[in-house]
Amino acid sequence: MMDVIEYLNIPEKGKTNVKIAVKQICENLSADAKTKRVIEKSVASFYVKGVLNADVTGMWGVNNDDYLYAEILICRVTLKTDALLSQANELLNAVFQNPVIIVYDYDGRYAIGCAAKRKNKAEKNKSVIEKFYLTDTFAVDDLHKRLLSEITYDKRNLKDFYDNVCNICLAEQYVKLTGRIPETIDETIKAKSAAIRRLTIQKRELESNYNQADSMQEKMDIHMKIKQIEKQLGKIGR
């Protein structure tokens, strides 16, 4: 089985294999000892597997008053445990000024994490994280292969490329809920996923009520509500 890193199709010129010691990561992290222990408990190894820039990808870098997307790191983290994955993802993204795509591997399952960043105007060599992104853990099945194939190197610039990766992280939940790839992967995908989850729960509750209903009229009323929810789910899925 191919590694998720391979599905990212890192251009040959950008491939690397640099190990960063967990101790070094903790030393570079601006956090107290308790917080740093999250990394120590979670991370078995950390490798930089790729460096993306204009020369490697053919996509322009972005460097303006608000954003710096001149270089993107692709990293692979082997985990000791995924129990603290969300916390670990936030801490690891905070270590680097550059935007980072992190592939997590634990017991044959994977997750992808990243963070949208902007320039820190108060401290030159630091960035401000606007939002964290993290998929659920997943196996590399055909559906997730198709989702990963949406990570392409044909965007206008490196920021657009990175924004697309962030949206693909959000789309992973949609894929799990619906069993299909969304036609459009953009910033609206999170709201769509939340709506699908809510409507799916309502549908299950109605199906349970239908099975317990005594009268034919009650069953018909519940059946109509289920059909309305299915119609709404169909619209969201497009």
Side-chain angles (χ1 to χ4, degrees):
M1 181 184 294
M2 286 176 62
D3 189 288
V4 166
I5 288 286
E6 296 177 66
Y7 287 105
L8 299 183
N9 294 314
I10 301 170
E12 201 63 36
K13 286 172 65 176
K15 288 182 179 179
T16 185
N17 192 37
V18 178
K19 184 176 183 178
I20 300 178
V22 175
K23 181 180 179 181
Q24 183 181 344
I25 291 171
C26 290
E27 287 173 354
N28 292 337
L29 188 63
S30 299
D32 58 30
K34 183 178 179 181
T35 302
K36 290 180 180 181
R37 279 197 291 273
V38 171
I39 300 298
E40 294 168 348
K41 289 178 181 178
S42 301
V43 178
S45 65
F46 188 107
Y47 284 84
V48 178
K49 302 295 287 186
V51 179
L52 306 178
N53 55 35
D55 182 54
V56 167
T57 66
M59 295 180 288
W60 292 103
V62 172
N63 187 0
N64 56 34
D65 289 343
D66 296 313
Y67 297 105
L68 176 61
Y69 282 77
E71 191 172 84
I72 297 170
L73 304 180
I74 298 181
C75 305
R76 178 194 170 93
V77 173
T78 300
L79 295 170
K80 298 176 183 177
T81 173
D82 64 351
L84 302 171
L85 179 54
S86 180
Q87 289 174 265
N89 181 59
E90 293 183 7
L91 292 170
L92 290 173
N93 272 283
V95 169
F96 299 92
Q97 180 186 10
N98 290 326
V100 187
I101 299 167
I102 305 177
V103 174
Y104 297 96
D105 174 16
Y106 177 69
D107 198 24
R109 294 180 67 81
Y110 298 90
I112 299 175
C114 45
K117 299 178 180 180
R118 58 179 171 82
K119 286 183 176 179
N120 187 329
K121 296 181 180 180
E123 298 183 67
K124 185 177 180 181
N125 294 322
K126 292 187 178 182
S127 57
V128 176
I129 293 177
E130 296 179 322
K131 188 175 182 180
F132 293 103
Y133 298 83
L134 179 66
T135 68
D136 291 335
T137 57
F138 59 87
V140 186
D141 53 21
D142 288 341
L143 198 58
H144 282 85
K145 290 177 187 177
R146 287 171 53 204
L147 180 63
L148 292 170
S149 73
E150 297 291 331
I151 299 176
T152 57
Y153 296 83
D154 59 354
K155 306 305 178 190
R156 180 182 55 178
N157 56 53
L158 288 171
K159 185 177 186 304
D160 286 354
F161 168 82
Y162 194 81
D163 288 345
N164 181 54
V165 174
C166 292
N167 289 331
I168 286 170
C169 287
L170 294 176
E172 195 274 332
Q173 186 181 62
Y174 178 102
V175 167
K176 277 190 174 175
L177 289 169
T178 65
R180 61 180 183 269
I181 305 296
E183 292 181 11
T184 304
I185 297 178
D186 58 20
E187 64 278 358
T188 66
I189 200 70
K190 183 177 182 180
K192 288 180 180 179
S193 296
I196 288 170
R197 184 181 292 277
R198 174 176 53 79
L199 290 169
T200 300
I201 291 171
Q202 290 177 8
K203 183 184 175 186
R204 287 173 183 164
E205 290 174 349
L206 286 169
E207 288 171 342
S208 176
N209 293 341
Y210 180 89
N211 293 329
Q212 297 174 26
D214 295 325
S215 69
M216 183 59 69
Q217 182 61 51
E218 188 177 0
K219 283 182 178 290
M220 287 178 63
D221 290 342
I222 294 172
H223 176 75
M224 290 303 296
K225 290 178 181 178
I226 291 173
K227 288 298 180 184
Q228 288 173 358
I229 287 177
E230 288 175 345
K231 187 175 181 180
Q232 291 179 64
L233 286 169
K235 288 181 178 179
I236 294 170
R238 288 201 289 269

